[in-house]
């Protein structure tokens, strides 16, 4: 452990001290931050630095598909002292993105196989839905959900599908759509396996952000190269924009005006931003991103990062700053050397972070207000599984510290089976945390009661 | 013979007579890595231990090539296969398909022989009288004889339900069968 990591460790300890002095925090930096599900422990804090990234194929590229099984009789989720995890709703096949309407209703996309949006109204104690309705159905690959205009009285709910963004009329309290889906954006590229389209609005309601993942793992087919790359990278594209029938307008965060016009690349080189969230208070865009495959067990890290307008985040030519990937078609890009932004929080490679949300406060420990909670869908391209859990990203002054902490885990049952695959997190108005699992179609709720810690 | 610069750094000698690219060390790496990764699931000797993952060694080359392309484009969907396939360039896909097809079809632990279901005759039109696959007017038809029953059942119900939609004739034919008819076919084919 480096001196810097020790320092960070002690600050992490101090941070946690307010929660429970009895809790010893295991802190791992450098190479010790890497590992599979066997080392996961509630409270374990990690920090992966870009300099620690393993060389490509330092270990062979493995395929280890997890098999989703029903919850084994002896299985239980584990979390930190004082917290309780319980199923909130079950039977929600393909449960993906969760968003909370201004009135507290819980919107859920059930992307596959049918593509529908379900609305749940929680019971008074928040422990279960007392009403559940299908808001709309027949929207293929419905994923991202955003209310517009921002604020207490939205008029529409926008839905991201693989090839388009639609909107349906909405007012507070509606449990069923009162009108048909209207096409807003119809030109999103499709294919290549990256089909999730998260959608969000800037706080002033002027911009709609749409995340579109790459058309391939690492752009093995993107020729022909534009004659003049400098010209190519001017608006509506931006620095590091990929090209070609498969990759143009992909691996991006795009912006449109809310009427679906004025398409622009907001940021490029983000391989697959599956979770796009605007940070409350600052309006900063954050992405949870799945990085590329087939480079071995510990290369390269997945990440969460704040996204700058015009920023280039590496895909396909670089990762984690200046680590070059030699696989993209269409040639190397020495002109981009040193220009890829290092993401804010690096995760164990192949964890598959999908959704993130920010803790508004109200229930969890006061020190955790503003922290991000990320759902990890779990690995396939790794010899031993990793991910399959919820982690906490500490923030200080609205900026991530780069660390992440195991928060809810226990879905792995042996080396092959898992009984849950977390997709998205979202805080209820009472400050409790919901997360979705599309493996067994469950929404879980995490609550916190301080007295439980005090009683220990 | 001419020299073509591709990928910025790699001079490829293009042999017009043979149509073969030499060099492309980086492309070869991508293919080797992909193939290594294939065996993790499809088995180091061509038959994996997961009956939901198909036997691919000795499968029809044209069929394999189309499936890898379809996974790459998204016409056939699977998270892992999409990533693997989209990591390969066009020529790598052809080479991978040829390489896998040239390997011997492996036996695997076994489904007992079952009685031939009525619906079988319709399959034989494209997949051949002995169900060993072939090139039909509808496109390359895969070998079915000795494939895993679980995989066959999933493939058939996928065509019927629309989760798999990369072969129109198969979609129509599988929709026309009842679930128990498809199950009987899967069992019979696996036992061949």
């Amino acid at each position: 452990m480096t001196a810097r990591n020790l320092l960070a460790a002690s600050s992490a300890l101090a941070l946690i001290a307010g929660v429970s002095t009895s809790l010893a925090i295991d802190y791992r930096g450098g190479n010790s931050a890497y590992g599979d599900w066997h080392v996961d422990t509630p409270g374990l804090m990690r920090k992966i630095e870009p300099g620690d990234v393993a060389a490509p194929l330092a270990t062979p590229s493995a395929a280890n598909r997890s098999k989703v099984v029903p919850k084994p009789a002896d299985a239980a989720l584990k979390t930190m002292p004082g917290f309780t995890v319980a199923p909130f709703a079950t039977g929600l096949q393909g449960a993906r993105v969760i968003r909370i309407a201004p009135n507290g209703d819980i919107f859920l996309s059930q992307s596959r196989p049918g593509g529908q949006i379900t609305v749940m109204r929680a019971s008074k104690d928040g422990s279960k839905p007392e009403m559940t309705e299908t808001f709309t159905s027949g929207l293929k690959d419905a994923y991202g959900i955003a209310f517009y205009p921002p604020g207490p009285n939205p008029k529409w709910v926008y839905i991201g599908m693989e090839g388009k963004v639609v909107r349906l009329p909405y007012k507070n309290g509606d449990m069923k759509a009162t009108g048909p889906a209207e096409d807003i954006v119809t030109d999103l590229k499709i294919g290549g396996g990256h089909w999730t389209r998260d959608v969000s609005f800037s706080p002033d309601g002027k911009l709609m952000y749409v995340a579109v993942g790459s058309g391939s793992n690492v752009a093995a087919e993107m020729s022909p190269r534009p004659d003049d790359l400098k010209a190519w990278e001017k608006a509506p594209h931006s620095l590091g924009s990929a090209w070609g029938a498969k990759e143009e307008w992909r691996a991006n965060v795009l912006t449109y005006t809310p009427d679906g016009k004025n398409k622009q690349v907001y940021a490029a080189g983000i391989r697959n931003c599956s979770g796009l969230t605007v940070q409350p208070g600052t309006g900063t865009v954050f992405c949870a991103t799945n990085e590329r495959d087939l480079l071995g067990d510990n290369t390269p890290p997945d990440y969460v990062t704040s996204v700058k307008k015009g920023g280039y985040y590496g895909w396909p030519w670089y990762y984690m700053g200046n680590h070059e990937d030699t696989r993209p078609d269409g040639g190397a890009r020495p002109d981009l050397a040193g220009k890829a932004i290092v993401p804010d929080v690096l995760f164990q490679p192949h964890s598959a972070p999908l959704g993130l949300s920010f803790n508004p406060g109200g229930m969890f420990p006061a020190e955790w207000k503003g922290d991000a909670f990320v759902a990890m869908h779990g690995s396939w391209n790794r010899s031993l599984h990793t991910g399959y859990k919820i982690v906490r990203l500490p923030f200080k002054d609205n900026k991530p510290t780069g660390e992440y902490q195991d928060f809810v885990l226990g879905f792995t049952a042996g080396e092959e089976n898992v009984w849950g695959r977390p997709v998205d997190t979202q805080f209820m108005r009472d400050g409790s945390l919901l997360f979705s699992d599309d493996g067994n179609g469950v929404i879980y709720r995490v609550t916190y009661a301080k007295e439980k810690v005090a009683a220990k | 013979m001419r020299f073509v610069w591709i990928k910025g750094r790699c001079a490829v000698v293009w042999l017009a007579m043979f149509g073969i690219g030499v060099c492309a060390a980086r492309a070869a790496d991508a293919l080797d890595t992909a193939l290594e990764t294939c065996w993790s699931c499809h088995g180091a000797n061509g038959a994996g231990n997961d009956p939901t993952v198909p036997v691919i060694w000795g499968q029809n080359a044209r069929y394999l090539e189309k499936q890898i392309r379809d996974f790459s484009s998204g016409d056939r969907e699977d998270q892992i296969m999409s990533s693997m396939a989209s990591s390969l360039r066009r020529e790598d896909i052809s080479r991978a398909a040829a390489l896998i097809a040239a390997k011997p079809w492996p036996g695997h632990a076994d489904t007992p022989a079952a009685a031939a279901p009525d619906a079988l005759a319709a399959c034989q039109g494209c997949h051949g009288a002995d169900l060993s696959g072939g090139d039909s007017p509808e496109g390359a038809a895969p070998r079915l004889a000795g494939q895993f029953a679980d995989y066959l059942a999933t493939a058939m119900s996928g065509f019927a339900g629309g989760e798999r939609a990369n072969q129109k004739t198969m979609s129509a034919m599988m929709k026309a069968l009842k679930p128990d008819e498809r199950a009987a076919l899967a069992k019979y084919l696996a036992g061949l």
Side-chain angles (χ1 to χ4, degrees):
Chain A
M1 191 181 274
T2 63
R4 189 170 160 217
N5 283 341
L6 270 171
L7 201 70
S10 54
S11 69
L13 273 168
L15 189 72
I16 298 305
V19 181
S20 167
T21 47
S22 66
L23 186 67
I25 295 295
D26 187 2
Y27 188 96
R28 296 183 181 222
N31 288 333
S32 76
Y34 291 86
D36 57 80
W37 68 277
H38 291 276
V39 298
D40 288 353
T41 312
L44 172 61
M45 189 77 82
R46 292 181 175 85
K47 184 166 189 180
I48 293 178
E49 308 271 2
D52 300 332
V53 173
L57 295 172
T59 56
S61 171
N64 182 12
R65 190 190 293 259
S66 59
K67 190 176 165 200
V68 177
V69 297
K71 179 179 174 295
D74 59 348
L77 291 178
K78 291 183 267 187
T79 181
M80 295 171 69
F83 293 88
T84 305
V85 193
F88 171 83
T90 58
L92 300 164
Q93 188 182 18
R96 283 270 173 169
V97 169
I98 310 172
R99 296 285 186 272
I100 310 293
N103 75 336
D105 284 351
I106 299 151
F107 277 62
L108 172 74
S109 61
Q110 292 176 255
S111 309
R112 293 183 163 188
Q116 70 172 49
I117 304 294
T118 300
V119 188
M120 286 163 277
R121 186 163 295 159
S123 60
K124 214 165 188 182
D125 68 353
S127 67
K128 58 180 186 296
E130 63 176 20
M131 277 175 79
T132 302
E133 293 283 355
T134 300
F135 184 77
T136 183
S137 61
L139 299 182
K140 188 177 181 296
D141 299 323
Y143 186 80
I145 304 169
F147 299 96
Y148 179 83
N153 292 302
K155 290 182 179 159
W156 288 282
V157 55
Y158 281 63
I159 311 291
M161 301 161 66
E162 186 179 8
K164 56 186 185 175
V165 177
V166 299
R167 72 179 182 191
L168 297 105
Y170 175 75
K171 62 181 184 304
N172 285 322
D174 287 354
M175 304 277 292
K176 281 184 172 296
T178 55
E182 171 194 0
D183 285 351
I184 294 297
V185 172
T186 54
D187 63 352
L188 301 181
K189 289 280 192 79
I190 64 168
H194 290 157
W195 56 272
T196 62
R197 304 286 180 260
D198 210 353
V199 181
S200 201
F201 288 96
S202 61
D204 62 8
K206 288 183 177 162
L207 281 182
M208 174 170 68
Y209 301 104
V210 182
V212 184
S214 64
S216 64
N217 178 34
V218 65
E221 291 179 10
M222 60 186 301
S223 304
R225 186 172 178 143
D227 294 333
D228 183 347
L229 277 176
K230 282 223 163 76
W232 173 258
E233 289 177 336
K234 291 204 167 99
H237 292 298
S238 72
L239 180 73
S241 280
W243 59 83
K246 261 185 130 163
E247 306 297 351
E248 188 185 359
W249 303 113
R250 302 196 67 159
N252 290 327
V253 170
L254 303 175
T255 53
Y256 295 83
T257 43
D259 57 4
K261 296 190 168 73
N262 303 303
K263 177 165 72 170
Q264 290 257 349
V265 173
Y266 182 79
I270 304 178
R271 181 174 174 272
N272 192 14
C273 171
S274 303
L276 187 157
T277 303
V278 174
Q279 186 180 33
T282 66
T284 305
V285 173
F286 276 80
C287 273
T289 304
N290 281 228
E291 259 295 348
R292 61 207 80 190
D293 301 322
L294 308 184
L295 288 179
D297 276 0
N298 291 332
T299 313
D302 292 331
Y303 61 84
V304 158
T305 193
S306 53
V307 179
K308 294 184 180 71
K309 184 171 164 51
Y312 168 60
Y313 291 82
W315 191 89
W317 298 282
Y318 293 90
Y319 53 88
M320 307 306 111
N322 218 15
H323 295 80
E324 190 176 7
D325 195 325
T326 58
R327 297 173 297 172
D329 188 24
R333 291 291 304 273
D335 58 309
L336 288 175
K339 291 186 179 166
I341 296 170
V342 178
D344 295 332
V345 188
L346 311 190
F347 297 130
Q348 163 64 46
H350 310 300
S351 296
L354 292 188
L356 82 158
S357 60
F358 291 94
N359 172 26
M363 182 184 285
F364 284 11
E367 302 85 348
W368 289 14
K369 188 174 174 182
D371 290 354
F373 287 73
V374 177
M376 293 178 162
H377 206 218
S379 65
W380 68 265
N381 187 210
R382 197 173 189 289
S383 56
L384 295 174
H385 285 152
T386 194
Y388 302 96
K389 61 186 174 184
I390 307 294
V391 297
R392 177 177 77 94
L393 279 49
F395 272 58
K396 206 179 164 204
D397 303 327
N398 292 319
K399 293 195 166 67
T401 64
E403 302 153 312
Y404 69 104
Q405 182 173 43
D406 286 349
F407 182 55
V408 178
L409 53 97
F411 282 118
T412 40
E415 303 304 343
E416 198 182 322
N417 295 346
V418 302
W419 56 280
R421 303 199 69 181
V423 178
D424 197 16
T425 65
Q426 205 62 237
F427 282 87
M428 292 175 79
R429 288 194 302 182
D430 66 0
S432 62
L433 177 68
L434 298 177
F435 69 90
S436 56
D437 152 32
D438 74 341
N440 277 322
V442 181
I443 291 182
Y444 291 89
R445 178 167 177 256
V446 189
T447 52
Y448 176 69
K450 207 170 184 180
E451 58 272 26
K452 280 197 180 171
V453 176
K456 276 187 184 255
Chain B
M1 187 184 291
R2 64 196 177 100
F3 290 85
V4 183
W5 278 96
I6 61 162
K7 299 170 79 65
R9 300 172 163 180
C10 185
V12 174
V13 185
W14 189 259
L15 301 169
M17 277 184 70
F18 305 105
I20 298 169
V22 187
C23 166
R26 297 160 70 190
D29 288 349
L31 183 57
D32 290 346
T33 310
L35 288 173
E36 276 301 305
T37 315
C38 297
W39 315 144
S40 309
C41 292
H42 292 280
N45 52 9
N49 47 19
D50 180 348
T52 65
V53 177
V55 174
I56 54 172
W57 279 26
Q59 186 55 279
N60 180 295
R62 273 182 61 210
Y63 170 77
L64 288 175
E65 184 167 347
K66 179 175 189 297
Q67 300 313 302
I68 303 172
R69 284 198 200 294
D70 287 354
F71 280 123
S72 178
S73 68
D75 288 345
R76 185 175 172 188
E77 293 194 332
D78 178 90
Q79 182 201 6
I80 297 179
M81 285 306 302
S82 284
S83 176
M84 303 267 299
S86 73
S87 302
L88 298 176
R89 297 185 305 161
R90 272 195 188 88
E91 57 269 33
D92 292 333
I93 291 177
S94 306
R95 285 171 58 212
L99 227 142
I100 297 167
K103 291 177 180 291
W105 181 272
H108 57 84
D110 284 53
T111 315
D118 296 339
L120 190 67
C123 307
Q124 288 167 315
C126 292
H127 293 273
D130 61 355
L131 286 317
S132 66
D135 294 330
S136 84
E138 300 288 339
R143 173 177 175 145
L144 305 176
Q147 185 56 275
F148 286 116
D150 284 7
Y151 169 74
L152 290 171
T154 307
M156 287 192 282
S157 65
F159 279 120
E163 297 90 31
R164 183 170 170 185
N166 67 334
Q167 221 292 333
K168 286 197 175 86
T169 306
M170 279 300 292
S171 299
M173 289 180 71
M174 291 303 108
K175 279 188 182 106
L177 293 176
K178 295 189 187 77
D180 59 334
E181 291 175 312
R182 294 197 297 265
L185 271 175
K187 208 171 146 190
Y188 172 77
L189 293 166
L192 289 177

